[in-house]
Amino acid sequence: MRILAVCGSGLGTSFMVEMNINQVLTELGVTGIEVAHSDLSSATPDSADVFFLAKDIAEGGESLGEVIVLESIIDMDELREKVTAVVQDKGLI
C-alpha cells in the first residue's frame, strides 16, 4: 500500500505530514506501507492508494481517489485518528 501526503508546493508541508504519518505507523506497529510526499499538480490517481491533503487544497484533489482531508496539518491527534482509520479499513491492524 502507498500513502501520499500532498500539499500545494510539495515541499515543507507535505514532507512534514509524510514524516508524521510514518511516526504514527511506527507507533501502531504497521509495516509495509510506503509513504511519500508530492505537490498537488504532480499527484495522479495512480500515485498512491490513499492521499492525505490539507483542507485548503482538498477541493483540488477530489479526482485523486481516496482522499483524507486534514483539518489541521499540525494536529497529531487528528492525524493519528485518520491514519489508524485507514489502516484498520485496509485490514492492516
Side-chain angles (χ1 to χ4, degrees):
M1 183 173 131
R2 183 175 167 130
I3 294 175
L4 193 64
V6 181
C7 71
S9 65
L11 298 171
T13 302
S14 59
F15 182 58
M16 180 189 71
V17 173
E18 174 190 350
M19 291 188 311
N20 289 340
I21 290 170
N22 278 317
Q23 178 183 332
V24 171
L25 292 172
T26 299
E27 290 171 6
L28 295 172
V30 176
T31 59
I33 296 179
E34 182 182 343
V35 183
H37 67 279
S38 174
D39 64 283
L40 183 58
S41 63
S42 298
T44 61
D46 61 344
S47 300
D49 301 298
V50 180
F51 300 84
F52 280 77
L53 284 77
K55 178 175 66 171
D56 62 328
I57 63 165
E59 188 175 309
E62 291 174 346
S63 65
L64 292 174
E66 186 174 350
V67 172
I68 308 300
V69 177
L70 299 173
E71 294 295 318
S72 170
I73 60 164
I74 60 172
D75 184 346
M76 282 300 291
D77 291 331
E78 177 192 8
L79 185 65
R80 189 173 291 106
E81 177 183 310
K82 290 183 175 181
V83 170
T84 300
V86 166
V87 294
Q88 285 176 335
D89 182 57
K90 303 294 183 190
L92 301 173
I93 58 171

